[in-house]
Amino acid sequence: MKSRASLLAFLLAVAAALLFIAGCAKKPVAAKVEAPPPPQPQPTVTLSVDPQEIKKGEAAKLTWEAKNATDVTLELLGSIELNGSMTVNPAESTTYRIVAKGPGGTSDASARLTVSVPPPVATEVQPTLRELFERNVKDAFFAYDSYELDSETSQILASNANFLQQHPELAFTVEGHCDERGSEEYNLALGASRAEAVRQALVKQGVGGERIATNSVGKEKPFCTDSNEECWHLNRRGHFVLP
């Protein structure tokens, strides 16, 4: 009985020792897992233009602001500060684009500046002196077989003289023309008389005679070739010609 009790005590002692040894054994240490770093904030950028519409030659103001960025670029102009403004005056409508870059990525913005170009002013082309002469100096017409100046023709020559006095640099020729009737010799003489009659009328109106040459064409250069009274009237004239 005593030996049994001793055996039981021994077994209990061994069990207690084993439990103690197991409790003292090193427990495995779990490996540490590092948490990922927080994400970098996304850059933001704004761009505005004031005013949004200008006339050509005027200026506008660009204003921008960037956050969480390390580099800011304005297209057409290059790198700029993160925040700022500048004056621009493009010759034509332009869209400005800004790009902001940083550890967290890229962001962009744009602003449109409209430039209105006024229509070109139509420049009036000034007529040449020859054109003015042809517009203002009218031919003198004569009755059949005559070199007399009637009242209507005298008024035309007075108007011619007024223009010619305003342009003393003009020298010109008066050609005497006739209709087809009559001989060549007769019409040459009549043409000379008509040209001289016009010249004298202009001299009386104050136009220098040295500026006026005369020439008789007779019936050789008709303005109208039909054989009727209307055409004959058109061919009986003192015609003004510039060199």
Side-chain angles (χ1 to χ4, degrees):
M1 191 75 177
K2 185 176 179 181
S3 61
R4 252 174 139 179
S6 298
L7 179 60
L8 182 58
F10 175 76
L11 291 173
L12 290 173
V14 170
L18 290 173
L19 287 173
F20 177 77
I21 293 171
C24 292
K26 284 188 177 181
K27 296 180 180 181
V29 179
K32 284 187 176 182
V33 178
E34 294 187 5
Q40 295 289 338
Q42 175 77 18
T44 60
V45 64
T46 59
L47 179 66
S48 62
V49 59
D50 184 46
Q52 294 182 343
E53 183 172 350
I54 60 173
K55 294 179 181 179
K56 186 176 181 179
E58 295 179 344
K61 185 178 181 181
L62 281 178
T63 303
W64 65 90
E65 182 179 0
K67 295 180 179 179
N68 305 318
T70 57
D71 179 72
V72 178
T73 302
L74 188 61
E75 288 185 356
L76 308 177
L77 298 174
S79 297
I80 54 175
E81 299 292 333
L82 268 62
N83 305 310
S85 63
M86 68 170 58
T87 299
V88 292
N89 57 344
E92 58 185 3
S93 298
T94 304
T95 298
Y96 294 93
R97 181 170 177 266
I98 192 170
V99 179
K101 297 180 180 179
T106 301
S107 182
D108 63 64
S110 62
R112 177 74 173 175
L113 176 58
T114 301
V115 179
S116 59
V117 180
V121 178
T123 56
E124 184 179 353
V125 179
Q126 295 299 320
T128 65
L129 195 56
R130 179 176 293 275
E131 290 171 335
L132 289 173
F133 179 88
E134 292 172 353
R135 289 181 196 174
N136 292 277
V137 179
K138 308 300 182 183
D139 287 353
F141 292 90
F142 295 87
Y144 173 65
D145 196 27
S146 173
Y147 55 88
E148 298 293 330
L149 303 175
D150 60 22
S151 59
E152 182 179 352
T153 303
S154 296
Q155 290 178 2
I156 291 174
L157 293 178
S159 177
N160 290 352
N162 182 55
F163 172 81
L164 294 168
Q165 286 173 331
Q166 295 175 22
H167 298 279
E169 68 276 25
L170 286 173
F172 54 95
T173 298
V174 179
E175 291 181 345
H177 289 256
C178 304
D179 64 36
E180 65 187 45
R181 294 171 292 180
S183 67
E184 182 178 345
E185 293 78 7
Y186 176 82
N187 282 307
L188 284 173
L190 181 57
S193 297
R194 286 173 175 170
E196 184 60 28
V198 172
R199 180 181 182 278
Q200 291 300 326
L202 292 175
V203 171
K204 288 180 181 180
Q205 294 285 343
V207 181
E210 71 281 358
R211 300 167 54 190
I212 310 171
T214 60
N215 180 37
S216 178
V217 180
K219 61 179 181 179
E220 297 306 312
K221 295 181 180 179
F223 292 87
C224 182
T225 57
D226 293 336
S227 294
N228 55 49
E229 185 56 46
E230 183 179 357
C231 261
W232 294 335
H233 171 71
L234 292 175
N235 290 334
R236 298 191 300 263
R237 66 170 77 189
H239 179 57
F240 291 84
V241 180
L242 281 179

Short mmCIF file of all heavy atoms in Angstrom, two decimals, residues 21-74:
data_model
loop_
_atom_site.label_atom_id
_atom_site.label_comp_id
_atom_site.label_asym_id
_atom_site.label_seq_id
_atom_site.Cartn_x
_atom_site.Cartn_y
_atom_site.Cartn_z
N ILE A 21 8.44 22.25 -17.47
CA ILE A 21 9.38 22.37 -18.59
C ILE A 21 8.67 22.90 -19.82
O ILE A 21 9.16 23.75 -20.54
CB ILE A 21 10.03 21.00 -18.88
CG1 ILE A 21 10.93 20.59 -17.71
CG2 ILE A 21 10.81 21.04 -20.19
CD1 ILE A 21 11.44 19.16 -17.79
N ALA A 22 7.45 22.39 -20.08
CA ALA A 22 6.69 22.86 -21.25
C ALA A 22 6.35 24.33 -21.12
O ALA A 22 6.36 25.08 -22.08
CB ALA A 22 5.42 22.02 -21.40
N GLY A 23 6.04 24.79 -19.92
CA GLY A 23 5.70 26.20 -19.72
C GLY A 23 6.89 27.09 -19.90
O GLY A 23 6.75 28.27 -20.26
N CYS A 24 8.08 26.56 -19.63
CA CYS A 24 9.28 27.38 -19.75
C CYS A 24 9.84 27.41 -21.16
O CYS A 24 10.76 28.20 -21.46
CB CYS A 24 10.36 26.83 -18.79
SG CYS A 24 9.92 27.07 -17.05
N ALA A 25 9.36 26.54 -22.06
CA ALA A 25 9.88 26.53 -23.45
C ALA A 25 9.53 27.84 -24.16
O ALA A 25 8.48 28.44 -23.92
CB ALA A 25 9.30 25.33 -24.19
N LYS A 26 10.40 28.32 -25.05
CA LYS A 26 10.18 29.60 -25.78
C LYS A 26 9.05 29.46 -26.77
O LYS A 26 8.99 28.51 -27.53
CB LYS A 26 11.44 30.01 -26.53
CG LYS A 26 12.51 30.59 -25.64
CD LYS A 26 13.64 31.14 -26.48
CE LYS A 26 14.69 31.79 -25.59
NZ LYS A 26 15.79 32.36 -26.40
N LYS A 27 8.14 30.38 -26.65
CA LYS A 27 7.07 30.45 -27.63
C LYS A 27 7.59 31.11 -28.91
O LYS A 27 8.35 32.06 -28.84
CB LYS A 27 5.89 31.25 -27.07
CG LYS A 27 5.25 30.59 -25.86
CD LYS A 27 4.09 31.43 -25.37
CE LYS A 27 3.42 30.78 -24.15
NZ LYS A 27 2.28 31.58 -23.67
N PRO A 28 7.14 30.68 -30.14
CA PRO A 28 7.60 31.32 -31.40
C PRO A 28 7.07 32.75 -31.49
O PRO A 28 5.93 33.02 -31.12
CB PRO A 28 7.00 30.42 -32.49
CG PRO A 28 5.85 29.73 -31.83
CD PRO A 28 6.22 29.54 -30.38
N VAL A 29 7.95 33.67 -31.95
CA VAL A 29 7.59 35.09 -32.09
C VAL A 29 7.07 35.33 -33.50
O VAL A 29 7.74 34.99 -34.49
CB VAL A 29 8.80 35.98 -31.81
CG1 VAL A 29 8.43 37.46 -31.99
CG2 VAL A 29 9.33 35.73 -30.41
N ALA A 30 5.86 35.91 -33.62
CA ALA A 30 5.28 36.20 -34.95
C ALA A 30 6.08 37.32 -35.64
O ALA A 30 6.47 38.29 -35.00
CB ALA A 30 3.81 36.62 -34.80
N ALA A 31 6.33 37.18 -36.97
CA ALA A 31 7.10 38.18 -37.74
C ALA A 31 6.29 39.47 -37.86
O ALA A 31 5.08 39.45 -38.11
CB ALA A 31 7.44 37.63 -39.12
N LYS A 32 6.98 40.58 -37.70
CA LYS A 32 6.32 41.88 -37.82
C LYS A 32 6.07 42.22 -39.30
O LYS A 32 6.95 42.09 -40.12
CB LYS A 32 7.20 42.98 -37.21
CG LYS A 32 7.17 43.00 -35.70
CD LYS A 32 7.92 44.23 -35.20
CE LYS A 32 7.83 44.33 -33.69
NZ LYS A 32 8.52 45.54 -33.18
N VAL A 33 4.84 42.71 -39.65
CA VAL A 33 4.47 43.15 -41.00
C VAL A 33 4.32 44.67 -40.99
O VAL A 33 3.46 45.19 -40.26
CB VAL A 33 3.16 42.50 -41.48
CG1 VAL A 33 2.79 43.01 -42.87
CG2 VAL A 33 3.30 40.98 -41.46
N GLU A 34 5.21 45.38 -41.76
CA GLU A 34 5.16 46.84 -41.77
C GLU A 34 3.97 47.32 -42.60
O GLU A 34 3.73 46.84 -43.70
CB GLU A 34 6.45 47.42 -42.36
CG GLU A 34 7.67 47.15 -41.50
CD GLU A 34 8.89 47.87 -42.03
OE1 GLU A 34 8.73 48.65 -43.01
OE2 GLU A 34 9.98 47.68 -41.48
N ALA A 35 3.26 48.31 -42.09
CA ALA A 35 2.11 48.89 -42.80
C ALA A 35 2.62 49.74 -43.98
O ALA A 35 3.64 50.42 -43.87
CB ALA A 35 1.29 49.76 -41.85
N PRO A 36 1.93 49.70 -45.15
CA PRO A 36 2.37 50.51 -46.31
C PRO A 36 2.26 52.00 -46.00
O PRO A 36 1.38 52.42 -45.23
CB PRO A 36 1.40 50.09 -47.42
CG PRO A 36 0.18 49.62 -46.70
CD PRO A 36 0.68 48.98 -45.43
N PRO A 37 3.16 52.81 -46.56
CA PRO A 37 3.08 54.25 -46.31
C PRO A 37 1.78 54.83 -46.89
O PRO A 37 1.25 54.31 -47.87
CB PRO A 37 4.29 54.82 -47.07
CG PRO A 37 4.57 53.82 -48.13
CD PRO A 37 4.21 52.48 -47.54
N PRO A 38 1.29 55.89 -46.29
CA PRO A 38 0.05 56.48 -46.81
C PRO A 38 0.27 57.03 -48.23
O PRO A 38 1.36 57.50 -48.56
CB PRO A 38 -0.24 57.62 -45.82
CG PRO A 38 1.08 57.94 -45.21
CD PRO A 38 1.82 56.64 -45.15
N PRO A 39 -0.72 56.97 -49.11
CA PRO A 39 -0.55 57.46 -50.48
C PRO A 39 -0.31 58.97 -50.51
O PRO A 39 -0.84 59.71 -49.69
CB PRO A 39 -1.88 57.09 -51.15
CG PRO A 39 -2.86 57.01 -50.01
CD PRO A 39 -2.09 56.48 -48.85
N GLN A 40 0.52 59.38 -51.50
CA GLN A 40 0.79 60.80 -51.66
C GLN A 40 -0.47 61.50 -52.21
O GLN A 40 -1.18 60.95 -53.05
CB GLN A 40 1.95 61.03 -52.64
CG GLN A 40 3.28 60.50 -52.14
CD GLN A 40 3.83 61.33 -50.99
OE1 GLN A 40 3.46 62.49 -50.83
NE2 GLN A 40 4.69 60.72 -50.19
N PRO A 41 -0.74 62.70 -51.74
CA PRO A 41 -1.93 63.39 -52.23
C PRO A 41 -1.80 63.77 -53.71
O PRO A 41 -0.72 64.10 -54.18
CB PRO A 41 -2.01 64.65 -51.35
CG PRO A 41 -0.61 64.86 -50.87
CD PRO A 41 -0.01 63.49 -50.73
N GLN A 42 -2.90 63.69 -54.43
CA GLN A 42 -2.95 64.03 -55.85
C GLN A 42 -2.78 65.55 -56.02
O GLN A 42 -3.42 66.34 -55.35
CB GLN A 42 -4.29 63.60 -56.44
CG GLN A 42 -4.52 64.00 -57.88
CD GLN A 42 -3.78 63.12 -58.87
OE1 GLN A 42 -3.37 62.02 -58.51
NE2 GLN A 42 -3.60 63.59 -60.08
N PRO A 43 -1.90 65.99 -56.95
CA PRO A 43 -1.78 67.43 -57.19
C PRO A 43 -3.09 68.00 -57.74
O PRO A 43 -3.84 67.31 -58.44
CB PRO A 43 -0.66 67.54 -58.24
CG PRO A 43 0.06 66.25 -58.17
CD PRO A 43 -0.96 65.23 -57.78
N THR A 44 -3.35 69.23 -57.41
CA THR A 44 -4.50 69.96 -57.99
C THR A 44 -3.99 71.29 -58.53
O THR A 44 -3.02 71.86 -58.03
CB THR A 44 -5.59 70.22 -56.94
OG1 THR A 44 -5.05 71.01 -55.87
CG2 THR A 44 -6.14 68.91 -56.39
N VAL A 45 -4.66 71.77 -59.59
CA VAL A 45 -4.24 73.04 -60.17
C VAL A 45 -5.46 73.72 -60.80
O VAL A 45 -6.35 73.06 -61.33
CB VAL A 45 -3.13 72.83 -61.24
CG1 VAL A 45 -3.64 72.02 -62.42
CG2 VAL A 45 -2.56 74.16 -61.69
N THR A 46 -5.51 75.03 -60.70
CA THR A 46 -6.57 75.82 -61.33
C THR A 46 -5.93 76.90 -62.19
O THR A 46 -4.82 77.36 -61.91
CB THR A 46 -7.48 76.47 -60.28
OG1 THR A 46 -6.69 77.34 -59.44
CG2 THR A 46 -8.18 75.43 -59.43
N LEU A 47 -6.64 77.29 -63.24
CA LEU A 47 -6.16 78.33 -64.15
C LEU A 47 -7.35 79.15 -64.62
O LEU A 47 -8.38 78.60 -65.03
CB LEU A 47 -5.45 77.71 -65.36
CG LEU A 47 -4.91 78.68 -66.42
CD1 LEU A 47 -3.79 79.53 -65.85
CD2 LEU A 47 -4.43 77.92 -67.65
N SER A 48 -7.23 80.47 -64.56
CA SER A 48 -8.31 81.34 -65.01
C SER A 48 -7.72 82.51 -65.79
O SER A 48 -6.54 82.85 -65.64
CB SER A 48 -9.13 81.86 -63.83
OG SER A 48 -8.33 82.65 -62.96
N VAL A 49 -8.54 83.11 -66.65
CA VAL A 49 -8.11 84.27 -67.41
C VAL A 49 -9.18 85.35 -67.28
O VAL A 49 -10.38 85.06 -67.32
CB VAL A 49 -7.87 83.91 -68.90
CG1 VAL A 49 -9.12 83.34 -69.54
CG2 VAL A 49 -7.35 85.11 -69.67
N ASP A 50 -8.74 86.57 -67.10
CA ASP A 50 -9.67 87.69 -66.92
C ASP A 50 -9.16 88.92 -67.67
O ASP A 50 -8.02 89.35 -67.45
CB ASP A 50 -9.82 88.02 -65.43
CG ASP A 50 -10.84 89.12 -65.19
OD1 ASP A 50 -11.93 89.04 -65.78
OD2 ASP A 50 -10.52 90.04 -64.41
N PRO A 51 -9.97 89.48 -68.59
CA PRO A 51 -11.26 88.96 -69.04
C PRO A 51 -11.07 87.78 -69.98
O PRO A 51 -9.96 87.50 -70.43
CB PRO A 51 -11.87 90.16 -69.77
CG PRO A 51 -10.68 90.91 -70.29
CD PRO A 51 -9.62 90.76 -69.23
N GLN A 52 -12.16 87.12 -70.30
CA GLN A 52 -12.07 85.95 -71.17
C GLN A 52 -12.09 86.31 -72.65
O GLN A 52 -11.81 85.47 -73.49
CB GLN A 52 -13.22 84.98 -70.86
CG GLN A 52 -13.12 84.38 -69.46
CD GLN A 52 -14.24 83.41 -69.18
OE1 GLN A 52 -15.27 83.38 -69.87
NE2 GLN A 52 -14.07 82.58 -68.16
N GLU A 53 -12.43 87.56 -72.96
CA GLU A 53 -12.45 88.00 -74.35
C GLU A 53 -11.89 89.41 -74.44
O GLU A 53 -12.25 90.29 -73.65
CB GLU A 53 -13.87 87.98 -74.91
CG GLU A 53 -13.95 88.36 -76.39
CD GLU A 53 -15.33 88.16 -76.99
OE1 GLU A 53 -16.17 87.54 -76.31
OE2 GLU A 53 -15.55 88.61 -78.13
N ILE A 54 -10.98 89.62 -75.38
CA ILE A 54 -10.35 90.92 -75.58
C ILE A 54 -10.32 91.24 -77.06
O ILE A 54 -10.53 90.37 -77.90
CB ILE A 54 -8.92 90.97 -75.01
CG1 ILE A 54 -8.03 89.92 -75.72
CG2 ILE A 54 -8.90 90.78 -73.51
CD1 ILE A 54 -6.58 89.99 -75.34
N LYS A 55 -10.04 92.50 -77.37
CA LYS A 55 -9.79 92.89 -78.74
C LYS A 55 -8.30 92.78 -79.02
O LYS A 55 -7.48 92.86 -78.11
CB LYS A 55 -10.26 94.33 -78.98
CG LYS A 55 -11.76 94.51 -78.86
CD LYS A 55 -12.15 95.97 -79.09
CE LYS A 55 -13.65 96.16 -78.96
NZ LYS A 55 -14.03 97.59 -79.14
N LYS A 56 -7.96 92.58 -80.27
CA LYS A 56 -6.56 92.46 -80.64
C LYS A 56 -5.80 93.71 -80.21
O LYS A 56 -6.23 94.83 -80.45
CB LYS A 56 -6.41 92.25 -82.14
CG LYS A 56 -4.98 91.98 -82.59
CD LYS A 56 -4.92 91.69 -84.07
CE LYS A 56 -3.49 91.40 -84.51
NZ LYS A 56 -3.40 91.10 -85.96
N GLY A 57 -4.67 93.49 -79.52
CA GLY A 57 -3.88 94.60 -79.01
C GLY A 57 -4.09 94.84 -77.53
O GLY A 57 -3.26 95.48 -76.87
N GLU A 58 -5.20 94.31 -76.97
CA GLU A 58 -5.45 94.44 -75.54
C GLU A 58 -4.79 93.30 -74.78
O GLU A 58 -4.25 92.37 -75.37
CB GLU A 58 -6.96 94.47 -75.27
CG GLU A 58 -7.67 95.67 -75.86
CD GLU A 58 -9.16 95.65 -75.61
OE1 GLU A 58 -9.70 94.58 -75.25
OE2 GLU A 58 -9.81 96.70 -75.76
N ALA A 59 -4.83 93.36 -73.42
CA ALA A 59 -4.17 92.35 -72.59
C ALA A 59 -5.17 91.74 -71.62
O ALA A 59 -6.22 92.33 -71.32
CB ALA A 59 -3.00 92.98 -71.82
N ALA A 60 -4.85 90.53 -71.13
CA ALA A 60 -5.66 89.84 -70.13
C ALA A 60 -4.71 89.29 -69.06
O ALA A 60 -3.49 89.26 -69.24
CB ALA A 60 -6.48 88.73 -70.75
N LYS A 61 -5.29 88.85 -67.93
CA LYS A 61 -4.48 88.38 -66.80
C LYS A 61 -4.75 86.90 -66.57
O LYS A 61 -5.89 86.47 -66.36
CB LYS A 61 -4.82 89.17 -65.55
CG LYS A 61 -3.94 88.83 -64.35
CD LYS A 61 -4.32 89.70 -63.16
CE LYS A 61 -3.44 89.40 -61.96
NZ LYS A 61 -3.81 90.24 -60.80
N LEU A 62 -3.67 86.09 -66.62
CA LEU A 62 -3.73 84.67 -66.28
C LEU A 62 -3.41 84.51 -64.80
O LEU A 62 -2.44 85.07 -64.30
CB LEU A 62 -2.73 83.87 -67.10
CG LEU A 62 -3.06 83.50 -68.54
CD1 LEU A 62 -1.87 82.75 -69.15
CD2 LEU A 62 -4.31 82.66 -68.62
N THR A 63 -4.22 83.71 -64.07
CA THR A 63 -3.99 83.45 -62.65
C THR A 63 -4.08 81.94 -62.42
O THR A 63 -5.01 81.30 -62.93
CB THR A 63 -5.02 84.17 -61.78
OG1 THR A 63 -4.97 85.57 -62.05
CG2 THR A 63 -4.74 83.94 -60.30
N TRP A 64 -3.13 81.38 -61.65
CA TRP A 64 -3.14 79.94 -61.40
C TRP A 64 -2.76 79.66 -59.95
O TRP A 64 -2.13 80.47 -59.26
CB TRP A 64 -2.20 79.23 -62.35
CG TRP A 64 -0.75 79.58 -62.16
CD1 TRP A 64 0.16 78.98 -61.35
CD2 TRP A 64 -0.06 80.68 -62.77
NE1 TRP A 64 1.38 79.60 -61.42
CE2 TRP A 64 1.28 80.65 -62.30
CE3 TRP A 64 -0.43 81.67 -63.67
CZ2 TRP A 64 2.23 81.58 -62.69
CZ3 TRP A 64 0.51 82.59 -64.07
CH2 TRP A 64 1.83 82.54 -63.58
N GLU A 65 -3.14 78.45 -59.50
CA GLU A 65 -2.81 78.00 -58.14
C GLU A 65 -2.68 76.48 -58.16
O GLU A 65 -3.58 75.77 -58.62
CB GLU A 65 -3.89 78.41 -57.14
CG GLU A 65 -3.58 78.00 -55.71
CD GLU A 65 -4.64 78.44 -54.73
OE1 GLU A 65 -5.63 79.06 -55.16
OE2 GLU A 65 -4.50 78.14 -53.53
N ALA A 66 -1.55 75.98 -57.68
CA ALA A 66 -1.29 74.54 -57.65
C ALA A 66 -1.05 74.09 -56.21
O ALA A 66 -0.44 74.82 -55.42
CB ALA A 66 -0.10 74.19 -58.53
N LYS A 67 -1.50 72.89 -55.88
CA LYS A 67 -1.28 72.29 -54.56
C LYS A 67 -0.76 70.88 -54.72
O LYS A 67 -1.08 70.20 -55.70
CB LYS A 67 -2.60 72.28 -53.77
CG LYS A 67 -3.15 73.66 -53.43
CD LYS A 67 -4.44 73.55 -52.66
CE LYS A 67 -5.00 74.93 -52.31
NZ LYS A 67 -6.28 74.84 -51.56
N ASN A 68 0.06 70.48 -53.73
CA ASN A 68 0.64 69.13 -53.72
C ASN A 68 1.45 68.85 -54.99
O ASN A 68 1.49 67.72 -55.48
CB ASN A 68 -0.45 68.06 -53.56
CG ASN A 68 -1.31 68.29 -52.34
OD1 ASN A 68 -0.80 68.62 -51.27
ND2 ASN A 68 -2.62 68.13 -52.49
N ALA A 69 2.08 69.89 -55.52
CA ALA A 69 2.85 69.75 -56.75
C ALA A 69 4.29 70.20 -56.51
O ALA A 69 4.57 71.04 -55.64
CB ALA A 69 2.23 70.56 -57.87
N THR A 70 5.19 69.62 -57.27
CA THR A 70 6.59 70.03 -57.21
C THR A 70 7.05 70.72 -58.48
O THR A 70 8.09 71.36 -58.50
CB THR A 70 7.49 68.79 -56.97
OG1 THR A 70 7.25 67.84 -58.01
CG2 THR A 70 7.20 68.17 -55.62
N ASP A 71 6.26 70.58 -59.55
CA ASP A 71 6.62 71.20 -60.82
C ASP A 71 5.35 71.63 -61.53
O ASP A 71 4.40 70.86 -61.66
CB ASP A 71 7.40 70.21 -61.70
CG ASP A 71 7.76 70.82 -63.05
OD1 ASP A 71 8.64 71.70 -63.09
OD2 ASP A 71 7.15 70.40 -64.05
N VAL A 72 5.35 72.88 -62.00
CA VAL A 72 4.19 73.42 -62.71
C VAL A 72 4.68 74.00 -64.03
O VAL A 72 5.63 74.78 -64.07
CB VAL A 72 3.46 74.50 -61.89
CG1 VAL A 72 2.29 75.06 -62.68
CG2 VAL A 72 2.98 73.92 -60.57
N THR A 73 4.03 73.63 -65.12
CA THR A 73 4.41 74.10 -66.45
C THR A 73 3.19 74.68 -67.15
O THR A 73 2.11 74.08 -67.15
CB THR A 73 4.97 72.95 -67.30
OG1 THR A 73 6.09 72.37 -66.62
CG2 THR A 73 5.42 73.45 -68.66
N LEU A 74 3.39 75.85 -67.75
CA LEU A 74 2.34 76.48 -68.55
C LEU A 74 2.75 76.34 -70.01
O LEU A 74 3.79 76.86 -70.42
CB LEU A 74 2.18 77.95 -68.16
CG LEU A 74 1.00 78.70 -68.78
CD1 LEU A 74 -0.33 78.07 -68.38
CD2 LEU A 74 1.02 80.16 -68.36
#
